[in-house]
Every structure is written in C-alpha cells, then in structure tokens.
Amino acid sequence: DPLSGSSNNSTQQMPSHTFTKTGFFSVSLTAVDKFGCSSTSNRTIEVKALPVASFTYVTGQCDSTVTFTSTSIDTSSLITSYLWNYGDGTSEILAAPNNTSTHKYPSNGMFTVKLTIIDENGCTDEEITTVEYQPCLVAAFANTLSGCQNNLISFSDQSACNGTISEWQWSWGDTTQPTIYNTYKPVIMHSFSQTGIYTITLKVTTIINGNPYTDIVSRNITISAAPLADFASSGSCAGNRATFTNLTNQNGTAIADYHWDFGVTAIISDTSALRNPSYTYPTSGEFEAQLSVTNNLGCSDTISHVVKMFGSPEADFNFSVACQGHSTLFFDHSDPNLAPLVHSGWLISDGLHTIGTMAGQNAIFTFDSLGVYTILHAVSDSNNCSDSITYKITVVPSPLSVFNVNDNYENVQGQVMLENGSLGADEYYWDFGNGETSNAASPLITYNEDGDYLIQLYAKNNYGCVDSSGIIYKMMYKGLWVPNALAVGPIQSVRQWKPIGVNLSYYRADVYDRWGNLLWHSDKLTEKGAPAEGWDGTHNESPCKEDIYVWKITAIFSDGSIWYNDDVGIRKGMTSGNTGTITLIR
C-alpha cells in the first residue's frame, strides 16, 4: 500500500494498518532471530469497501416521540445490523432489514444521536447528528422593560406552534379584564392607568386531536408616571387672537417639553412650544388643536380639543347730512355674518375729546358746531365676535326757518299772509295744515273754516340741511252785525230787529226808548254763537210807535275777545261802539 507512505511498514509484532483503498494487497512479514537468521512469509488479503452510515428523523406533533430512519448505503455487502445510540443514555440494536426506530424522549432538549451500521463483512460505519426536540407549543412575547402611564405600550407576539394556535389570552396584572382573541395579531397594545411594576402573562392554546394544549409565559414591566395633558381655549372669533391655557396635571413630575399643534392643515407653522400660547386663526371653522407634553422621565401624553372659530361680523353704517344744530341720523348696515348682532355702539370724537356716545342699531346725534368729526361704530354678535369701523363726517351750516303770520290780510277774514324771515335757505316748503302746500317764499293762504291749523315752514339750503318752524294758527270767524231799522209789515226779512253774529260766547242786547226805558232784551245764543232772538217792535205785547230807539249790546267772542263793533271787513258807512239807534217804521 505505497500510497500510505511511512505507514506502509511496521516493526511491531502485531501491527494494524489502514489501507488507503479497496482491492487486493500482498502483505509480507519478515522475522529475524537473535542470530541474524531471517524468514519471510507473503500473503494476499482483500480490503473490502466500508458501508456509508446516514439517517433521517421526524419529530411528532406535540409528542416527544421521534422516528429515526436509516438511509445508509451498502457498498460491498449487505448491512446486517443497526446500532442506535439516542443520546439520552439509551441505545438499541436492530437487525436488518429493520432500519427504522422510534424513540420517546423524556424532555425537550438537544440530543446527540449516533447510528452504527455493520455489514456481512463485519465492516462498520457511523453517523452522528444532533437532534433538537422542540415543544409543539411555546408562549413567548417581546416588550420593553419599562413604559409610561396612560401611554399605549406594544407587545410583540413571538409564540410558536407546530400546529395552529387557537387562542391568545393576555393578562395585564392591573384591574382591566384579560384580552382574549382567536386570530393572530403580531402586536397588541395596552396602557396602564397607574404607576408600578406589572406582571404580563401570555397564555396560548392549541388543539391536537381534539385535546387542548397550553403554554404560559410571564414578564415584568415597570410603568413610570406620565403627565395628564389638558388645556382650555378662549377666543372664538376668526381674525382675533385665541388664547390657550395649559391645564396639564404634572403627576408629580417635571414637564420638560410642550408641543402645540393648532390644527390648521394648510399652515405648517401653526405650532408652539410655549406653556400658554396664543394663536390667530385666519378663517372661521372648527379646528382640532392638540397638546403633547413630555416629562423629565421621557413619558408623554397628548390631548385634542375642537376649537370653534366663528366668523366675525363686518361693521358698516351710513348717515344723513350732518347739519349744525339738527339731528344727524346714523343707520347700521353691518353684515352679521353667521350670528345675529346683539350690540351696536357709537362713539363721536372731535379729534381731541369724545363728545358723545350712543347705543342701538340706529342712532341720532346733534352737532352744535361746524367741523370734521370721527365716528366710530362697533358691533358684536351672539358669539361675542366684534368688529368696528370709523368714518369722517363734516358738519355743515343749517338754515334758520322763521316766519310771521299776518292774518286778516287786506281786511279779509281768513286771508293770511305768511311773511318768510328765514336765513341761509335756498328752498322752501310750506304746509298750511289744511291739506294745501306751497313752495313760494311768502305765500298767501285763505282759510275757509274755523279751526286750529299747524302752519309749518321747511327751509332748505344747498347742503341739503333743513330747518323747520311752525305755529298753531287759530282761525275763527268773528263778527256781530247790528241792523239800524225794522219795518213792521209784510216783508219778513225786516219785520224784526235781530243782530247777526257768529262764534259768540256771551251776548246781551237791550232796546231803550228815548227816555231810557228798557223795552226789550235778549241773551240767548244758538249753538254756533249767533243771537237767537230779535225785537219785533213791541213792548209788553203792545206795538211801539214809529220812532227812533236806542240799542246797547255787550258781547264776547269764543276766543275771549270783546266785541267793540269794529269787525274786520268793509265798514264804509258803519259806526263803531256798543250802542246805536233803531228806526222803527210802521
């Protein structure tokens, strides 16, 4: 066996040699005695091929029995036996052709299994393999060793099963109920409301041949105190600054960081790190503002509140011409936007001082002096949103309306000349109180009936300012006509001496003869204040002789004026005074 090199020769009495290949070999033995004499013997031997040992194994499902099967190869002669060493202190010899062995391990673990095979030539080979017997169901999960109060903590399920897990049950070690489900979830979340050390237990179950198998694992987690985020917001009008008040409960820790997100998705810079920030929302709407706080332990909490921003009203107004000494009218034309207006206020300034304030949707103010004034108008709605606007207003001169009443004009009762004395006016409008009007400067008007008439003059200048004046003109036709004769005869109209008058409130007529004897008297008046009776030329029912008699009348009109026999009208040929003569004709 020259390929074996130096091992090809030996000086031992009973050597051993490993041939490098199969086949026939000539082995030579030379023996030498103490005298130097030698003898050599040759023999031919056949080296046959070794069998090749190998095997496979299959573990049971949730069963510790492992089935081993030899896959050894016969090379030169048949295998006659199999020697199994199971690595747990037990072994077994099986005679061919039985090449399969089953073995039940007492526990889980790693085992070194050796198969030794022997063929008909007595040649042997062996195969050594490490066999890992794993349990059919293992409960396992991963989590951090610590967490924060009220924060969701993730637990990653790492359980394994040769079959299918039918149920997962998590017990959290706090007062909450266990979480149980039947469909695989790689991660499950849980939060702890109180600080402390909690034991988390996962129990998994599988069903094999109708029987439940379970495994349980437990791990501890330490929960640190976390802040309890909270805040309140004020200011609910778009375009106004909204303030945010931090109400976070520090929970015995120090706050290291505040992060605010005011919820305006179109603006990236709507954030703040202040404790109590403020923010101006550009538009109305509902915004989800969020506060995240982190303490010095690294624990955080987040809370969101909806902030309602209402649309603000848009203040506006107009006004009448501002005329000195007269009322200027202010009219609110504000747009309420989304909510009804509940307040409307006005402030008037001369540039140095506030000279007036008003309240109400529409207001009235009188400017005593000419000049330019600033009008501030502010409104607010039911959402407490407000807006204001200012306008400049120029106060212009006003005319002065003045007139005089010249009644009984041209000696005609009821005819009135209105003499206009207005100053600074360009246009005039008269209302005479009887349904008639005029634009003349000084009109002439005739009243045909008694009554109280409100005469008004409106004087207007080129600024549009108007002043008015008016009086109550009491129109009453007054008169008492006394005849100077009567003729007793067939003509009815002159058969009596009867004064004719109107609007008398007191009246007494006496008729005397030339010697001063009272022949007749009367004080009766009609409803219209006219004398109701006349003298028929008799005395004590006896006719008086044709002669000249004397009358005397005392009369007072309804307006309190005394009759002096000087009534308005054409008095040509008429006498005055409250006495006169009567010619009696027969």
Side-chain angles (χ1 to χ4, degrees), residues 382-530:
S382 59
N383 293 325
N384 205 29
C385 296
S386 61
D387 188 34
S388 63
I389 192 171
T390 58
Y391 285 132
K392 297 289 187 180
I393 186 170
T394 300
V395 178
V396 296
S398 295
L400 177 63
S401 174
V402 178
F403 67 93
N404 181 53
V405 177
N406 186 357
D407 61 349
N408 298 325
Y409 185 70
E410 294 180 342
N411 208 24
V412 176
Q413 281 205 73
Q415 184 168 275
V416 177
M417 168 61 74
L418 299 173
E419 298 175 345
N420 191 341
S422 300
L423 301 175
D426 302 293
E427 298 178 35
Y428 307 97
Y429 176 81
W430 294 85
D431 186 337
F432 303 121
N434 63 349
E436 298 182 32
T437 61
S438 175
N439 295 110
S442 297
L444 180 66
I445 178 69
T446 300
Y447 292 94
N448 298 315
E449 296 181 1
D450 293 348
D452 292 343
Y453 297 92
L454 173 61
I455 302 176
Q456 298 181 86
L457 169 60
Y458 297 88
K460 181 179 179 182
N461 63 14
N462 55 6
Y463 294 110
C465 295
V466 177
D467 187 36
S468 65
S469 58
I471 64 169
I472 299 296
Y473 175 65
K474 295 181 178 295
M475 174 60 201
M476 185 176 72
Y477 278 90
K478 299 188 295 183
L480 181 61
W481 178 77
V482 182
N484 58 7
L486 77 158
V488 179
I491 302 175
Q492 179 68 30
S493 60
V494 294
R495 290 177 61 182
Q496 278 189 334
W497 176 84
K498 182 180 180 183
I500 299 174
V502 67
N503 289 323
L504 294 170
S505 62
Y506 174 80
Y507 166 79
R508 179 178 174 89
D510 297 317
V511 177
Y512 300 90
D513 60 17
R514 64 178 59 204
W515 297 278
N517 297 312
L518 179 64
L519 304 178
W520 176 86
H521 80 276
S522 175
D523 59 2
K524 291 182 171 55
L525 294 170
T526 66
E527 292 181 356
K528 294 184 178 182

Side-chain angles (χ1 to χ4, degrees), residues 14-81:
M14 299 179 65
S16 64
H17 180 72
T18 300
F19 289 89
T20 59
K21 60 182 180 179
T22 60
F24 291 92
F25 296 85
S26 177
V27 180
S28 174
L29 171 60
T30 300
V32 180
D33 63 13
K34 65 180 180 177
F35 298 109
C37 296
S38 64
S39 178
T40 300
S41 175
N42 293 299
R43 289 187 64 180
T44 299
I45 66 172
E46 181 183 7
V47 176
K48 298 180 179 180
L50 294 174
V52 179
S54 64
F55 65 90
T56 61
Y57 66 91
V58 176
T59 60
Q61 187 176 30
C62 284
D63 188 351
S64 61
T65 299
V66 180
T67 300
F68 297 94
T69 300
S70 172
T71 57
S72 302
I73 300 175
D74 297 329
T75 54
S76 58
S77 61
L78 297 175
I79 298 173
T80 59
S81 59

Side-chain angles (χ1 to χ4, degrees), residues 150-397:
N150 296 318
N151 285 12
L152 286 174
I153 302 171
S154 62
F155 297 85
S156 177
D157 182 17
Q158 296 179 341
S159 301
C161 181
N162 289 342
T164 301
I165 298 177
S166 59
E167 182 182 275
W168 290 259
Q169 178 176 309
W170 296 83
S171 297
W172 306 109
D174 56 9
T175 58
T176 61
Q177 293 296 316
T179 301
I180 302 174
Y181 52 90
N182 304 106
T183 302
Y184 172 69
K185 297 179 182 179
V187 175
I188 189 168
M189 312 292 287
H190 186 72
S191 64
F192 297 87
S193 60
Q194 302 296 326
T195 61
I197 299 175
Y198 295 89
T199 299
I200 314 301
T201 300
L202 171 60
K203 176 183 177 182
V204 292
T205 302
T206 185
I207 304 298
I208 303 297
N209 297 324
N211 297 315
Y213 289 82
T214 62
D215 192 35
I216 298 176
V217 65
S218 297
R219 297 186 67 181
N220 289 340
I221 187 171
T222 300
I223 302 300
S224 301
L228 302 176
D230 196 11
F231 68 91
S233 64
S234 64
S236 58
C237 306
N240 293 341
R241 185 174 295 274
T243 59
F244 293 83
T245 303
N246 175 41
L247 301 176
T248 298
N249 182 353
Q250 297 184 189
N251 202 15
T253 64
I255 303 300
D257 178 69
Y258 296 94
H259 179 76
W260 297 83
D261 187 326
F262 301 115
V264 184
T265 56
I267 300 177
I268 300 177
S269 59
D270 65 327
T271 60
S272 175
L274 298 177
R275 175 183 175 87
N276 296 299
S278 60
Y279 184 75
T280 300
Y281 286 91
T283 60
S284 60
E286 293 187 354
F287 302 90
E288 187 173 358
Q290 184 180 86
L291 168 62
S292 297
V293 291
T294 304
N295 64 13
N296 55 356
L297 301 177
C299 293
S300 62
D301 189 29
T302 300
I303 193 169
S304 298
H305 290 317
V306 173
V307 179
K308 292 184 178 180
M309 301 303 297
F310 301 104
S312 296
E314 185 176 350
D316 196 12
F317 67 95
N318 59 15
F319 47 88
S320 63
V321 178
C323 302
Q324 180 185 10
H326 290 270
S327 296
T328 302
L329 306 180
F330 297 90
F331 305 97
D332 187 350
H333 288 287
S334 301
D335 183 358
N337 201 338
L338 299 178
L341 297 178
V342 297
H343 175 74
S344 181
W346 311 79
L347 185 146
I348 301 176
S349 170
D350 61 3
L352 296 176
H353 308 93
T354 298
I355 63 172
T357 59
M358 301 171 289
Q361 191 170 16
N362 300 314
I364 301 175
F365 188 78
T366 300
F367 294 92
D368 297 326
S369 303
L370 302 177
V372 178
Y373 297 85
T374 300
I375 313 300
L376 170 67
H377 179 43
V379 293
S380 61
D381 61 21
S382 59
N383 293 325
N384 205 29
C385 296
S386 61
D387 188 34
S388 63
I389 192 171
T390 58
Y391 285 132
K392 297 289 187 180
I393 186 170
T394 300
V395 178
V396 296

Side-chain angles (χ1 to χ4, degrees), residues 540-553:
N540 294 329
E541 299 181 355
S542 298
C544 296
K545 65 180 181 178
E546 186 175 281
D547 202 350
I548 295 175
Y549 297 86
V550 177
W551 59 263
K552 180 181 180 181
I553 297 177

Side-chain angles (χ1 to χ4, degrees), residues 65-127:
T65 299
V66 180
T67 300
F68 297 94
T69 300
S70 172
T71 57
S72 302
I73 300 175
D74 297 329
T75 54
S76 58
S77 61
L78 297 175
I79 298 173
T80 59
S81 59
Y82 302 89
L83 175 59
W84 295 93
N85 188 322
Y86 298 115
D88 60 352
T90 62
S91 61
E92 184 178 13
I93 299 176
L94 299 177
N98 186 6
N99 66 341
T100 299
S101 172
T102 58
H103 182 70
K104 188 169 186 178
Y105 286 94
S107 62
N108 304 326
M110 303 289 291
F111 301 94
T112 301
V113 178
K114 182 172 68 173
L115 170 62
T116 302
I117 59 174
I118 304 172
D119 63 13
E120 292 177 337
N121 296 320
C123 294
T124 66
D125 191 26
E126 62 184 28
E127 172 72 9

